[in-house]
Amino acid sequence: LLRRRPADYVLAALAGPVLLYAVELLFHPMSADVSEMFQRFASSSAMFGAAALCAMRARRSKDDRAAWYMLALGLALWGGGCAYYAIFLWNLEAPPIPSIADALWVAFYLPTYASLVLFMRRRSASTSRVVWLDALVGGLGIGGAGAAIAFQSVLEHAQGSTAETATDLFYPIGDLGLMGLVVAAITFTGWKRAGVWRWIAPAFALFSLCDSLYLMQIANGTYVSGGLLDLGWPASVLIVGIAAWKAEPRVRPGVRARPTFVLPIACGLAALGLLGFDHFDRTNLLALCLALASILVIVLRLCLTLRDHARLLAHSRHEAATDALTGLANRRQLKTDLAAHLEDLDPERPLLLTLFDLDGFKQ
């Protein structure tokens, strides 16, 4: 037991409270005071534990060191915001917005975006332009759908000051960026080379979903503290901690990434449906712009695909009529040329076919 890695103990210290918190939310076996302590500090402790695991992974990682450090910084900032809220703002009837907690939560997005981009860039160095466009379609499509739901709900129920409204609107925009990066990463890597993305992608998808649902419930006045939704944030960072703890599987050099096209197609259809839905029930300008951009990228992707297919067809036809060793026209090209000349015979232009039989050609 003494030979186990320190990361094992950190993961155990992270997973234990999260599991106890899940038991409390499901079955309520704890006293009211203990339950309140879990509600106040579960998210911040989980964030700090996951940040510690990411920092430990960064120390022993060569290729993704910067990405892990940036992710650790982002989680620490979010955990600091949760801790500040739990200590100083928890018992206030009307917590100020924006506050120091909001500043830390907003700051979380920048290093987190940077870490996700670094993870994605190293795993997609040889990705074609078409796959880049597929990822962009997915990101814009999911962004448009999210803007039509979460952003629209916050926008319709905004009643505070300008600073409060701007702060409330920033979170759905930040979550849309997270979801867009997650969809883009899944499109880029597929599952052969996904590695750490198999854990990070669903973790941040869950994080963004819980954040969006929370904002919608706050805007509609239906949020109740101590529900299962509160478990979403600790559970998502627990998955990030597992990603930092696990060793990334090695991929054979000959294995090529197989990007998935299901998500871009689904997101493109969602963008098209959103444009149609807006004809009957108006939505916000951000959602419409994202949906329209998604459709435009699909058109660009189609143009590039048709051009690439035309080039591939021309190249295949050239290879089919050319000898690979000498570069001269082969028998298939000879038959094509003979047929073309025999169909257009002219007595004033005689056609001569000369056959050479070269003995000892190899010598």
Side-chain angles (χ1 to χ4, degrees), residues 102-126:
D102 290 301
L104 293 172
W105 288 332
V106 169
F108 151 84
Y109 289 99
L110 184 59
T112 305
Y113 283 173
S115 68
L116 298 182
V117 170
L118 290 173
F119 279 126
M120 186 166 52
R121 188 178 66 176
R122 192 178 74 83
R123 288 157 179 80
S124 58
S126 60

Side-chain angles (χ1 to χ4, degrees), residues 336-360:
T336 302
D337 292 342
L338 282 175
H341 284 288
L342 290 176
E343 289 179 358
D344 190 21
L345 290 177
D346 187 355
E348 297 182 359
R349 297 178 58 189
L351 181 64
L352 178 65
L353 175 62
T354 306
L355 301 178
F356 293 92
D357 187 6
L358 301 180
D359 294 333

Side-chain angles (χ1 to χ4, degrees), residues 125-201:
S126 60
T127 303
S128 65
R129 291 174 299 175
V130 172
V131 181
W132 278 92
L133 291 177
D134 287 339
L136 185 58
V137 169
L140 291 173
I142 198 69
I149 300 174
F151 188 85
Q152 183 72 19
S153 179
V154 176
L155 190 64
E156 289 178 351
H157 296 83
Q159 299 178 352
S161 63
T162 303
E164 182 177 349
T165 302
T167 303
D168 290 338
L169 290 176
F170 182 86
Y171 293 114
I173 295 175
D175 293 332
L176 293 179
L178 277 181
M179 288 299 297
L181 285 174
V182 167
V183 173
I186 296 174
T187 305
F188 273 129
T189 61
W191 286 106
K192 287 292 185 180
R193 293 185 179 272
V196 70
W197 272 111
R198 298 183 183 182
W199 298 89
I200 291 182

Side-chain angles (χ1 to χ4, degrees), residues 322-341:
T322 305
D323 180 70
L325 179 61
T326 63
L328 301 175
N330 59 14
R331 180 182 179 88
R332 180 180 286 115
Q333 186 63 45
L334 174 62
K335 294 175 65 176
T336 302
D337 292 342
L338 282 175
H341 284 288

Side-chain angles (χ1 to χ4, degrees), residues 126-138 187-188 259-261 264 297-298 300-309:
S126 60
T127 303
S128 65
R129 291 174 299 175
V130 172
V131 181
W132 278 92
L133 291 177
D134 287 339
L136 185 58
V137 169
T187 305
F188 273 129
T260 177
F261 305 104
V297 174
I298 291 175
L300 177 59
R301 193 242 197 253
L302 179 60
C303 294
L304 291 178
T305 301
L306 292 176
R307 189 188 65 176
D308 292 341
H309 285 181

Side-chain angles (χ1 to χ4, degrees), residues 24 28-37:
E24 164 59 20
H28 307 288
M30 303 177 185
S31 63
D33 293 337
V34 176
S35 178
E36 183 182 2
M37 290 296 295

